[in-house]
Amino acid sequence: MSSVGVARVYRGTFAHSTRDSALRVLTDFVLGVNEQGKIAFFEEGQNVESLSHQWGFDTSDIEQLGSHEFFIPGMVDTHIHASQYIFSGTHLDLPLLDWLKTYTFPVELCYEDLDFAKDAYTKVVRRTLSNGTTTACYFATIHTDASLLLGRIADDFGQRALIGKVCMDRNSMVPDYKELTEGCKDETDRFVHELLKKKYALVKPVVTPRFAISCSSSLLSNLGKIAKNYDLHIQSHISENKHEVQFVKELFPDCTSYTDVYVKHGLLTDKTVMAHGCYLTDEELKIFHERGAAVSHCPNSNISLISGMLNVRNVLKHKVKLGLGTDVAGGYSSSMLDAIRRAVDTSKALCMQDAQLQPLSYKEAFRLATLGGSEVLSLDDCIGNFAVGKDFDALRVNLCVPGSPVDLFPGDDPEVILEKFLNLGDDRNIVEVYVAGKQVVPFPDSY
């Protein structure tokens, strides 16, 4: 391309969310990506001549999308356990605490073996990227070196990622799978220091107490200090399952609620994302709003482990930041399309129980999977939609690929085509994936 500063220009249909609109489908728009991978311009197609003069590209260099194609922002998985990917789609016959004891903790122990870790982590990053997850907030395991390896693999593939070395110094379920309090603090410090030292452009550490049940008060306090000292994101679980909520009350009798446990240990900040939240009270949601903390809604997992159903309307009413997570492997699918569908299904199930509730629309669920997720991870200044100046994290979707799971008919307009993709499409329809302007799918042959 003959342009100076503009690396790519696309023309066609784009769909994204804004602060004011759950979904905007924009037909015949022109988008330019600069050499830094950021969106240089995003305007109506009728402005193409003036844009070509302004930015110095030839109109013959524009890549035109087909009538059955469109771009959407990359999807943001705000909660996924990379280490559990190897048994996703299985072991969904037990409630949360039994599930952790029987399946999860024994598997996570295996990540001490770096060859095992490399195989598993390579597969989960490949799979999530091909499913359109451009940003993932990962739980790893307690093993520092394997967690650093996950960071390297995400960087190699070009995925935007927050990587969490899991912290836990209490585990009566599988006593071998835990650390000493001081050792866990030291290893977390080492993990954060080593990962930051790599200076990966898109991969950063996130402080990760597994959940209050598996952490002593001393460890939680230390993790709060580490997060503050390095100004890091924090991720954990909250109010996923009724038995878990009760157990936390018994373990922390001096705290007024599950949320209060995290508040008292300096772990509920404007860079905190808490998964599930099915049983958060209105009072707790007020605290989330006041502190700028976020909730990751994991509808597949909530149903699969018979944990509960999050009332999304109530979370949004309290103006709490909200995104979607796959929660692999409690959630059996690593696709954010599944998270969108299950979020809508869950809201409809709640409506059957309470006629006063309004179901979530597919447009609102789409917003949660893109712009909402970027807000949850405090990355909405650089990703989440096609605003000028943001990184070009995007999926090119084609509904007419060979073997497509979606059929189109005369009269299907762009909004209908998008809705069909969100409800019926899969990775076969995601023909290109871009992160920060770099094409990462299809994968290079070396991967």
Side-chain angles (χ1 to χ4, degrees):
M1 188 172 278
S2 61
S3 61
V4 176
V6 177
R8 287 194 198 90
V9 181
Y10 299 100
R11 184 172 185 174
T13 298
F14 296 79
H16 72 161
S17 304
T18 65
R19 293 210 179 279
D20 305 321
S21 177
L23 175 66
R24 296 190 70 202
V25 179
L26 305 161
T27 55
D28 193 27
F29 262 61
V30 184
L31 182 145
V33 182
N34 70 20
E35 287 163 356
Q36 287 75 48
K38 296 186 183 299
I39 299 167
F41 57 82
F42 184 47
E43 298 187 21
E44 292 182 39
Q46 65 190 28
N47 299 335
V48 71
E49 290 293 341
S50 61
L51 286 167
S52 72
H53 293 308
Q54 181 184 347
W55 291 93
F57 61 88
D58 295 330
T59 51
S60 60
D61 292 328
I62 296 171
E63 194 162 340
Q64 178 72 47
L65 301 186
S67 60
H68 45 269
E69 286 188 298
F70 53 87
F71 270 111
I72 61 172
M75 290 187 278
V76 182
D77 190 340
T78 58
H79 184 71
I80 174 170
H81 293 262
S83 53
Q84 295 172 15
Y85 178 67
I86 68 166
F87 66 92
S88 56
T90 68
H91 300 336
L92 297 170
D93 56 333
L94 295 172
L96 176 66
L97 298 181
D98 294 331
W99 178 82
L100 288 170
K101 177 181 180 179
T102 308
Y103 305 125
T104 305
F105 291 153
V107 166
E108 291 190 16
L109 261 173
C110 300
Y111 283 79
E112 192 168 7
D113 179 340
L114 291 179
D115 290 332
F116 178 94
K118 183 179 180 184
D119 177 54
Y121 287 154
T122 299
K123 284 174 178 165
V124 72
V125 172
R126 277 186 70 102
R127 181 67 62 185
T128 52
L129 270 177
S130 60
N131 279 330
T133 299
T134 51
T135 299
C137 193
Y138 286 120
F139 272 61
T141 62
I142 66 173
H143 310 102
T144 302
D145 292 330
S147 304
L148 290 167
L149 179 60
L150 174 58
R152 192 184 89 201
I153 291 167
D155 178 67
D156 284 346
F157 276 94
Q159 188 173 50
R160 191 185 301 273
L162 291 167
I163 309 288
K165 175 216 163 298
V166 172
C167 299
M168 46 197 292
D169 63 347
R170 292 204 285 209
N171 188 358
S172 57
M173 298 186 230
V174 179
D176 288 349
Y177 189 53
K178 66 181 177 188
E179 299 167 279
L180 297 172
T181 307
E182 196 62 27
C184 183
K185 179 179 85 72
D186 292 345
E187 283 299 292
T188 302
D189 255 327
R190 179 167 82 87
F191 169 74
V192 169
H193 178 72
E194 290 286 325
L195 193 56
L196 291 174
K197 196 168 75 175
K198 302 284 186 190
K199 292 189 164 43
Y200 295 139
L202 303 174
V203 178
K204 306 291 182 222
V206 47
V207 172
T208 306
R210 185 175 208 110
F211 58 169
I213 287 173
S214 63
C215 298
S216 66
S217 182
S218 171
L219 177 58
L220 290 173
S221 293
N222 280 321
L223 295 176
K225 287 171 189 163
I226 289 170
K228 187 175 183 182
N229 289 344
Y230 288 97
D231 188 26
L232 294 178
H233 286 79
I234 298 161
Q235 65 176 347
S236 193
H237 301 85
I238 196 166
S239 301
E240 177 177 357
N241 166 294
K242 285 181 179 176
H243 293 296
E244 167 213 11
V245 174
Q246 183 56 39
F247 197 7
V248 170
K249 275 185 185 171
E250 293 164 13
L251 288 172
F252 296 90
D254 296 339
C255 294
T256 57
S257 66
Y258 203 154
T259 298
D260 194 41
V261 174
Y262 292 123
V263 170
K264 284 196 167 139
H265 295 94
L267 289 164
L268 204 75
T269 74
D270 61 359
K271 292 175 86 170
T272 295
V273 51
M274 288 286 169
H276 303 289
C278 299
Y279 301 100
L280 289 172
T281 64
D282 285 354
E283 190 55 45
E284 288 177 283
L285 287 169
K286 283 178 195 163
I287 295 166
F288 265 72
H289 170 69
E290 287 162 6
R291 291 181 167 262
V295 172
S296 172
H297 178 31
C298 305
N300 187 316
S301 171
N302 290 342
I303 298 295
S304 293
L305 300 185
I306 323 172
S307 296
M309 293 191 288
L310 179 69
N311 183 341
V312 165
R313 286 272 173 246
N314 196 40
V315 177
L316 295 174
K317 184 180 85 176
H318 283 87
K319 295 184 167 55
V320 173
K321 295 184 294 188
L322 184 68
L324 301 181
T326 60
D327 194 25
V328 165
Y332 53 76
S333 172
S334 55
S335 171
M336 286 296 292
L337 290 171
D338 176 84
I340 288 171
R341 296 161 193 169
R342 303 288 158 254
V344 173
D345 289 348
T346 294
S347 77
K348 288 177 177 176
L350 287 169
C351 289
M352 290 183 230
Q353 298 174 3
D354 181 354
Q356 302 299 311
L357 283 175
Q358 281 289 108
L360 205 60
S361 69
Y362 84 88
K363 298 177 182 181
E364 292 172 299
F366 170 79
R367 185 192 186 283
L368 293 178
T370 54
L371 186 59
S374 74
E375 292 167 351
V376 162
L377 300 182
S378 303
L379 294 171
D380 49 311
D381 59 334
C382 71
I383 60 167
N385 60 14
F386 295 129
V388 170
K390 289 191 179 185
D391 286 4
F392 185 63
D393 283 21
L395 314 181
R396 184 171 181 167
V397 178
N398 184 338
L399 272 276
C400 290
V401 293
S404 174
V406 185
D407 288 314
L408 298 182
F409 295 89
D412 284 354
D413 64 32
E415 196 165 306
V416 166
I417 290 171
L418 171 68
E419 185 177 5
K420 283 190 171 186
F421 167 66
L422 294 178
N423 283 319
L424 300 169
D426 61 26
D427 58 311
R428 287 169 288 184
N429 301 114
I430 301 169
V431 293
E432 293 171 1
V433 177
Y434 295 86
V435 181
K438 178 189 174 189
Q439 186 175 320
V440 295
V441 174
F443 300 110
D445 292 340
S446 57
Y447 291 175

